[in-house]
Amino acid sequence: MDIRGMNYDTGMALDDFHTRPVFDEDAVRRDMAAIAGDLHATAVRISGDDPDRILAAGRHAAAAGLDVWFSPFPYDLGADELVDYLTGAAERAELLRRETEREVVLVLGCEMTLFCKGFVPGEGLPGRTATMTDPRTWATEEGRAPLLAGFQRARDTQRETVAAARKLFGGRLTYASGAWEQVDWDQFDIVSVDAYRDEGNAARYAEELRAYHRFGRPVVVTEFGCCTYRGAADRGGLGWTIVTEDRTIPADYERHEAEQVLYLHELDAVFEAEGMAGSFWFTFAGFELPHRPDDPAHDLDLASYGLVAMRPDGGWEPKLAFHAVAALYGGQPAR
């Protein structure tokens, strides 16, 4: 694969939880140096709801020698708000593109039918996730009808955002799609999908990835990964949901860093076999999910997809998966 990527969070507000309230550029610069130098990544997908933070982090990434996938992450915005928001992000992405010799790819949103309002019934991420994961939603034509109408509204909105972005941004465009979304890929330069494998799609996972080649564009996995507990691989993109409302981890979840390593190697082999142009592990760090080894109930790192474990003081320590990614991206044999 040409793209050996890493996801990196600059912070976003998700209802009552903020993934990174404090944004320290010195810390970002050190993280980008680690992603480029220690992990041997070639690109970083930088996400967040503040395009100015993404721009700042993108400058540090480019200085470290990384290509930048500029990935604004709108949350709970409606269709009209989305167009304005992503247009502003495109202006900043173009500024970065003109400043650096590294490639800058603009990612025009992420799974917007789930993370934005007006497309899937439900209040906020929890409500829309509940709608999407409820078998009754899909069981009847009556249940599916609101979703199908919402998906079409999303496609219409995308057409507007792409047209606006093309006027401002001179680089390649893509969109981080959910596997359930129907995207008009003819308007994008790269087909991108957040492709988590779980027990529900494991049997057809490779086949589903292979199908994206029919659009005649490079196919990139913009997210894949799992959390840090035994059995997390079977939960894929919903592994984080083990955190309770009082921000604790139930006692029946066992910390297991090797879970991430196995998931990494198994999926990387699928990506190579299916001709993916690249992939981005999700994620470098869960900044607000600290590791507390002496307090299992509050060891929120179990619910983190991060390659590093955040200490309560804000520093981090590499997990087993950090070393596995470094070896894989650096071309060393798997251990």
Side-chain angles (χ1 to χ4, degrees), residues 6-29:
M6 184 60 50
N7 276 272
Y8 188 83
D9 179 31
T10 60
M12 60 192 77
L14 300 172
D15 299 316
D16 59 351
F17 177 64
H18 199 292
T19 65
R20 194 175 186 180
V22 177
F23 183 74
D24 180 342
E25 284 202 42
D26 286 337
V28 173
R29 176 179 49 77

Side-chain angles (χ1 to χ4, degrees), residues 80-128:
D80 292 341
E81 297 170 297
L82 269 171
V83 176
D84 291 341
Y85 170 82
L86 292 173
T87 299
E91 292 176 338
R92 291 163 177 81
E94 176 64 10
L95 182 62
L96 178 62
R97 191 183 74 86
R98 295 187 179 208
E99 290 178 1
T100 178
E101 295 182 357
R102 306 301 309 185
E103 182 178 21
V104 178
V105 175
L106 177 56
V107 185
L108 280 174
C110 173
E111 302 177 25
M112 71 181 190
T113 55
L114 183 63
F115 286 101
C116 290
K117 62 185 178 183
F119 306 116
V120 170
E123 290 296 320
L125 179 60
R128 292 188 287 270

Side-chain angles (χ1 to χ4, degrees), residues 10-216:
T10 60
M12 60 192 77
L14 300 172
D15 299 316
D16 59 351
F17 177 64
H18 199 292
T19 65
R20 194 175 186 180
V22 177
F23 183 74
D24 180 342
E25 284 202 42
D26 286 337
V28 173
R29 176 179 49 77
R30 291 191 295 269
D31 291 346
M32 293 302 172
I35 291 170
D38 297 332
L39 293 177
H40 310 293
T42 62
V44 60
R45 177 186 169 209
I46 305 175
S47 299
D49 58 18
D50 183 348
D52 288 323
R53 283 191 178 189
I54 300 174
L55 176 58
R59 285 171 169 151
H60 291 298
L66 294 161
D67 291 338
V68 176
W69 285 46
F70 196 105
S71 189
F73 194 102
Y75 179 66
D76 240 10
L77 300 185
D80 292 341
E81 297 170 297
L82 269 171
V83 176
D84 291 341
Y85 170 82
L86 292 173
T87 299
E91 292 176 338
R92 291 163 177 81
E94 176 64 10
L95 182 62
L96 178 62
R97 191 183 74 86
R98 295 187 179 208
E99 290 178 1
T100 178
E101 295 182 357
R102 306 301 309 185
E103 182 178 21
V104 178
V105 175
L106 177 56
V107 185
L108 280 174
C110 173
E111 302 177 25
M112 71 181 190
T113 55
L114 183 63
F115 286 101
C116 290
K117 62 185 178 183
F119 306 116
V120 170
E123 290 296 320
L125 179 60
R128 292 188 287 270
T129 300
T131 299
M132 291 288 291
T133 56
D134 187 344
R136 293 172 298 181
T137 300
W138 306 95
T140 65
E141 184 176 343
E142 182 180 6
R144 293 190 296 271
L147 289 180
L148 297 178
F151 292 165
Q152 184 57 54
R153 286 195 299 276
R155 294 166 78 176
D156 294 341
T157 301
Q158 274 189 326
R159 287 275 175 195
E160 288 188 61
T161 60
V162 170
R166 290 284 187 198
K167 295 177 182 178
L168 298 167
F169 181 73
R172 293 195 291 174
L173 295 182
T174 190
Y175 166 72
S177 66
W180 63 90
E181 293 183 312
Q182 300 296 314
V183 178
D184 296 327
W185 288 112
D186 62 289
Q187 64 194 314
F188 293 101
D189 303 296
I190 304 167
V191 173
S192 298
V193 59
D194 295 345
Y196 292 89
R197 189 194 66 185
D198 56 42
E199 63 179 351
N201 69 0
R204 61 183 187 277
Y205 183 76
E207 180 181 355
E208 290 178 347
L209 285 178
R210 191 179 312 137
Y212 285 99
H213 288 299
R214 71 186 186 275
F215 299 108

Side-chain angles (χ1 to χ4, degrees), residues 243-285:
V243 180
T244 64
E245 290 186 4
D246 62 355
R247 304 287 294 165
T248 60
I249 301 293
D252 49 345
Y253 290 101
E254 176 191 357
R255 183 177 186 82
H256 189 59
E257 291 190 17
E259 189 91 3
Q260 292 180 303
V261 176
L262 183 60
Y263 193 91
L264 166 72
H265 287 301
E266 289 181 347
L267 268 66
D268 185 78
V270 175
F271 302 154
E272 290 282 6
E274 298 304 331
M276 300 296 103
S279 63
F280 291 79
W281 174 269
F282 184 84
T283 183
F284 179 73

